[in-house]
Structure formats: structure tokens, C-alpha cells
Amino acid sequence: MANGAPLLEVSDLNVAYGAVRAVRGVSLSVAEGEVVSLLGANGAGKSSLLNAIMRLAPKTGGRVTFDGRDITDMDPERIAAAGLTIVFEGRRVFPKLSVSENLLLGALAGRRRGANGRDQGRIYEMFPALADRQSQLAGTLSGGEQQMLAIGRALMSKPKMVLMDEPSLGLAPKIVDEVFERIERLKAEGMTMLIVEQNVAMGLSVADRGLVLSSGQVVQQGTAAELAASDSLTDAYVGGS
Amino acid sequence: MDIFLQQLVNGLSLGGTYALLAIGLAIIYSIMGLINFAHGDLMTLTGYAMIGVVALGLPFPVAILCGLVAATLAAMAMERIAFRPLRGASGASMLLSSLAVSTVLHIAFQVLISARPQALPFPPMFSGAMDLGFARIGNIQAISIVVAVLALIVVNAILYRLPLGIAIRAAAQDFDATRVMGVQANRLISLAFGLSGVLAGIAGVLWIAQRGSVDPALGFNPVIKAFIAVTLGGLGSLQGAVLGGLFLGLLEVFLRAYLPEDTLPYREAVALTLVVFVLLFRPQGFMGKSEAVR
Ligand SMILES: Nc1ncnc2c1ncn2[C@@H]1O[C@H](COP(=O)(O)OP(=O)(O)OP(=O)(O)O)[C@@H](O)[C@H]1O
Ligand SMILES: [Mg+2]
């Protein structure tokens, strides 16, 4: 579905936690409407990369542009207001806020794009399980429901692009299918996404393209079909470092 | 029975004042892990601002208003100058920074104003007592309780109704995720300090109304009590802070009323021992989870 100039462009990005270099010179770009899958073993640096794009991990070099603007040194709240948001690894919903309070906060970043707290209906229609639990505390939801809420909360701001970090983490296969069915639907609606997945088959099934990260570097990339057919892909997981 | 009722009212009024201080401390602690030692100096500042306004010949309600504005602005300035540069630093560095702010304010009060207490007479409506037939209730105690309850209702409405208030609660749970919601970190923290400042100001007015004078160390004792209240309630829990404040106020007043005469000098020690006991059996406080809040 790629059309036109890249919406997100990352060049030569480095992330280090003290002496630990988690991301080493990664460059990638995602075009508007495109879905890109980021694959790699535990500790490969996938989360560090996504968090660094949002300026929530310590960048030690590189440049990030989004929608024609340099966001390298922008505050996370400004990046969110520009239309780029993240669904964190481990969901990170606000456990002691209700479902509807979580969604209400989600709308704050999107005020300039016309999102408001009353758009909750759209999310409840997409995730009916949440509709029945509007006043329930998010911390008491099941893992699957929390993932739905995390995605719904991100969508409340009417973002132009969503970074998704392991949406299937810790979920039963049936729930994973459900989550990916929603991701498919978002893709069909034209949402641009960069999705981190441990589950290679799942990750590639929704993606146009994929990148494989190993020890903080891109070691392989190609269309989803190419990667799915590749033998060396498993090496990146088993080999790790 | 009527004595008991009077003590209950006294305890609630003292506890309500502690609760106002404690909730301000808890809001700041829950968002940024800072234990703000300079919180009590906001009470003192409120008093001096009121003295200044009264000296100008302006009406008393204007003095109260100016006192509250002074505390609010001072709290926000404190954050801007002393805490913002340390954001994300360890709790210990921030605690030290707040100690430094407190010391500077303390010395400034001594040098610029006076080390001796300055009188701040309150209007007659604050003195005297109401005879309810079955009990006599001091006006100031009644006012304290009413004001504390109203303030807590307003704080509650802010934190549970306004989007930025809900964001304050969210930030206490996950600061980075709150920023991704588009909430400006600086605005949110500034608002939280403003809120804690106005609450410290209200507590200051109530505290000074009981004493009639202001001195540089005025805020020290009540803020220590508020720390204890916050700890008792469960660090960072807002409901806990209110409960802790009320508990401590009641405990103090009832010990003063019912301890034998010759043990009265030890009543603070007895109160603190009881607090230690509570914490021995419930280290996480009344409302705290057993694991860390964040
Ligand atoms: N906050 C942190 N402080 C120090 N080191 C960190 C931090 N976060 C990540 N790391 C280190 O950076 C490296 C990359 O971690 P990261 O979480 O980005 O990997 P990942 O690919 O997302 O792994 P996973 O699939 O397990 O989520 C790891 O070696 C990890 O230990
Ligand atoms: Mg990860």
C-alpha cells in the first residue's frame, strides 16, 4: 500500500543504556499507509528502537523525521500531538483508572486533529468487550482486554501512525487472533504501523515489509513474502547475538 | 460524652489540616518521587503574605486570598527553579534539593522579616465558640473542619473530573505513558505543585488562625506530621494521605485529653510509638499496596 514520501524516517539511530548499546545505527523508513514488521530475538533492541523514536529511550545519535518534521529532539507529548503514538510492550494501561478514563486521556494528544473524549463510541464499537466495562478499573481487565484498551487508547488521538510493541505478548492464541484481526482492520482503513512481533508468522501476516533486528542492527529486510520464505530468518532468533 | 464530642471535633479539625498538607505532599510524591521538605514553608509564606496585606490596610478576606495566591505561586516557582532541573534524578537528590529550598526560605524569613513571631490577629468570627446544647464547639475548629472538607471535595473533583486532573492520577501510575497521551509534562507538574501549594496555603491559614502569630519555623512541625500521615496512609496514596492525616490528628488530640497529667510531656513520643506500631503490622500503610506504587 506504499504511496508517496515516507511518513516516518529513521536514520542511523543509536541507543545506549550506559555501556549497553541496544540499537546500533539503524535506518528505516515507513511510507504512509504501509505496515512494517520489526522482527528479532529477545534483547535485539526492538523496544529500545520504538521507545527512542518516541524519545523515551536514551538516543546517542541519529535522526528521526515524521510527517516532514524533525522529531529527533521533540518531547514525547509533542510527538504524540504530531500524530505519532505507541502501544507499549506490556500494554501499560493506567491500572487504577477506569476504561473510559484511559480512553479519555488517549484523546488529549489528538485535540488538534479533532479527536475528543466523546469519540469513545468509535473505540467501543471496535472493541465491544470494552463497552461493557467502561467504569471498570483497567488493572482488573484480562490481558486481552488490556491489550484492546491499549490499542483503543492509542487510536483515541486519531494518530497518523502507530508503533506497536508486541501486541501478542502473553496472550492466549485465540486472543492473539482477535488482536490481529483488529490490526488487519486498521490496516484496511489505511493506518500506517510499525509492529514489533516475536511471533514471526503473525508479524509478517499483516505486514507489507519486514526488518530483522539482531544485536541492535538490521541484519535482513525485504517484503513480507520474501522474509516468510527465508531460511536465515530463524537464525536471527536462535542465534541471537 | 460532651467532652468526648468536643475532643472529637478538635481531633478532626487538626486531622483535617494535616490531611490538606498530606494530600499535597502525596500528589507530588506520587508523580515524581519527590518528598518536598519545603512544603511547610509554604504555610509560613502564606502567613507573612497575609501580615503584609493586613498592614496595607486591606480587608481580611483579601489577605487570605493573597496568602493563598502567594503559596500557590511559590510552590510553582519552587518546582521551576529547584526541582525541574533534577527531574528524573534519584529521590535522595530531590529530597536534598527540597531541604535546601526549605533552608533558604527559612533564613530569608529570619533575615528579611524577623526571627521573632509576628502577630496576625484574626477577625472575631474565628474566636469564640458555639454552644450546641450538648457540646461547645470552637468556631475555629468548626471552620477548619468545614474548610478541609470543602477543599477535599474540590480536590477530588479536580482529580476525578478534569482531564488534566485525571492526567495527574495517570502520571502517578506511569509518567511516560501519560506524556504519550499528549499531556505536557511541565504543565502537569506545574499544576500539581500549584494544587499542593494552594492546599498548603489553606492549611497555613487554618494553622495560624489557631495561633495568632507567624514565625519562620511555623511550617516545620505540621509538615513533619504530614509526612507521617503520608507514610501511614501508604506513600503516594491520596486517600491514604487523608486517612493518615485524620488518624494522626485524632490520635494527638485524644492522647492530650486522656493521658494522665504527668505523662503529657511524652504524648508526642507515645503518638509516634503508636504510629511505629501501625507500620510494624502494616508497613505499606493503610492504603498502600505491598509492592511499590510505581
Ligand atoms: N532501561 C534499560 N536499562 C538498561 N538496559 C536496557 C534497558 N532497556 C533495555 N535494555 C537493554 O537493551 C537491550 C535491548 O533491549 P530491548 O528491550 O530493546 O530488546 P527487545 O528486542 O525489545 O527484546 P524483547 O523481545 O525481549 O522485548 C537489552 O540488552 C536490554 O537488556
Ligand atoms: Mg521489547
Side-chain angles (χ1 to χ4, degrees):
Chain A
M1 293 301 117
N3 46 28
L7 184 59
L8 176 76
E9 190 149 32
V10 173
S11 46
D12 199 22
L13 191 79
N14 286 281
V15 177
Y17 306 96
V20 180
R21 294 185 57 200
V23 176
R24 312 165 183 227
V26 167
S27 299
L28 61 88
S29 69
V30 183
E32 197 168 339
E34 200 180 22
V35 176
V36 174
S37 213
L38 191 60
L39 310 167
N42 286 118
K46 308 177 299 289
S47 299
S48 301
L49 176 59
L50 293 201
N51 291 335
I53 292 172
M54 294 305 290
R55 203 162 167 255
L56 290 170
K59 277 199 290 276
T60 52
R63 214 169 99 89
V64 185
T65 58
F66 176 74
D67 203 12
R69 293 156 78 180
D70 188 334
I71 60 164
T72 314
D73 295 315
M74 245 188 218
D75 284 335
E77 51 265 42
R78 306 271 315 283
I79 295 175
L84 177 61
T85 191
I86 184 169
V87 177
F88 287 108
E89 179 177 85
R91 333 191 208 293
R92 289 171 68 172
V93 294
F94 301 113
K96 289 187 266 177
L97 299 191
S98 70
V99 167
S100 88
E101 283 174 328
N102 268 274
L103 292 179
L104 180 126
L105 287 181
L108 294 180
R111 278 186 175 167
R112 244 177 270 151
R113 285 184 304 284
N116 71 55
R118 280 176 282 281
D119 283 337
Q120 297 190 9
R122 194 166 54 93
I123 304 300
Y124 292 138
E125 183 257 322
M126 186 171 180
F127 302 111
L130 298 179
D132 306 331
R133 298 176 166 77
Q134 299 184 24
S135 55
Q136 191 174 327
L137 294 188
T140 64
L141 296 175
S142 74
E145 290 159 357
Q146 287 190 18
Q147 188 64 61
M148 306 289 183
L149 179 59
I151 296 173
R153 184 179 71 174
L155 295 178
M156 281 297 288
S157 65
K158 298 190 174 161
K160 294 177 183 147
M161 176 171 183
V162 183
L163 309 174
M164 270 195 213
D165 200 345
E166 299 205 38
S168 68
L169 187 76
L171 302 181
K174 185 172 151 289
I175 311 295
V176 174
D177 287 343
E178 222 173 287
V179 169
F180 270 84
E181 189 264 316
R182 303 310 146 84
I183 294 175
E184 291 273 12
R185 193 168 132 186
L186 281 176
K187 182 188 179 182
E189 289 168 5
M191 180 63 76
T192 311
M193 289 178 278
L194 177 58
I195 304 178
V196 165
E197 254 310 324
Q198 293 257 353
N199 184 332
V200 180
M202 269 295 177
L204 290 177
S205 72
V206 290
D208 299 306
R209 281 194 299 125
L211 292 112
V212 182
L213 216 57
S214 175
S215 301
Q217 289 173 308
V218 178
V219 292
Q220 200 178 357
Q221 54 182 311
T223 64
E226 280 165 14
L227 286 177
S230 155
D231 296 333
S232 55
L233 189 57
T234 42
D235 297 347
Y237 282 86
V238 182
S241 68
Chain B
M1 184 59 207
D2 50 345
I3 295 284
F4 174 83
L5 204 65
Q6 279 168 24
Q7 299 302 349
L8 185 67
V9 168
N10 291 345
L12 287 176
S13 103
L14 183 64
T17 308
Y18 288 159
L20 294 180
L21 286 170
I23 199 166
L25 285 174
I27 288 174
I28 301 301
Y29 179 81
S30 66
I31 295 178
M32 50 193 289
L34 159 70
I35 295 179
N36 185 11
F37 236 98
H39 197 65
D41 301 297
L42 298 169
M43 299 171 76
T44 320
L45 184 77
T46 306
Y48 286 131
M50 288 175 68
I51 290 177
V53 174
V54 168
L56 290 176
L58 292 166
F60 203 77
V62 177
I64 293 184
L65 197 68
C66 291
L68 299 185
V69 170
T72 309
L73 294 180
M76 291 163 88
M78 221 178 248
E79 186 272 320
R80 195 62 238 267
I81 297 164
F83 304 134
R84 190 171 297 183
L86 289 179
R87 200 169 299 159
S90 75
S93 329
M94 289 193 288
L95 176 66
L96 280 180
S97 179
S98 78
L99 268 173
V101 172
S102 177
T103 310
V104 167
L105 285 174
H106 209 119
I107 292 172
F109 294 147
Q110 285 182 0
V111 173
L112 301 177
I113 302 165
S114 165
R116 303 172 58 99
Q118 306 292 107
L120 175 53
F122 272 62
M125 68 170 285
F126 286 88
S127 39
M130 295 172 288
D131 209 330
L132 298 183
F134 52 93
R136 273 173 66 78
I137 308 275
N139 285 354
I140 176 61
Q141 276 76 19
I143 291 172
S144 291
I145 293 175
V146 171
V147 168
V149 168
L150 288 179
L152 291 176
I153 289 173
V154 171
V155 169
N156 198 64
I158 290 175
L159 293 176
Y160 286 82
R161 297 267 174 273
L162 291 188
L164 211 50
I166 296 173
I168 286 183
R169 284 160 56 223
Q173 299 166 40
D174 191 331
F175 197 82
D176 283 346
T178 308
R179 297 184 77 181
V180 170
M181 302 297 110
V183 180
Q184 285 182 33
N186 288 340
R187 265 183 61 193
L188 180 122
I189 291 182
S190 217
L191 177 82
F193 269 88
L195 196 59
S196 84
V198 74
L199 291 172
I202 294 171
V205 172
L206 299 176
W207 194 260
I208 297 161
Q210 302 250 19
R211 283 156 191 78
S213 71
V214 183
D215 65 276
L218 173 110
F220 187 72
N221 192 21
V223 90
I224 293 289
K225 294 293 166 50
F227 283 131
I228 298 171
V230 170
T231 314
L232 261 180
L235 269 180
S237 158
L238 305 186
Q239 289 99 327
V242 173
L243 281 182
L246 290 176
F247 176 83
L248 204 60
L250 287 166
L251 184 65
E252 232 181 285
V253 165
F254 277 102
L255 284 179
R256 187 162 39 195
Y258 294 110
L259 274 185
E261 190 88 51
D262 49 348
T263 59
L264 272 184
Y266 305 108
R267 66 170 194 278
E268 295 264 298
V270 174
L272 290 183
T273 309
L274 282 176
V275 167
V276 169
F277 253 98
V278 172
L279 290 177
L280 273 180
F281 289 104
R282 225 185 134 70
Q284 71 275 35
F286 297 142
M287 305 292 283
K289 296 270 181 318
S290 24
E291 72 276 312
V293 185
R294 261 220 310 172

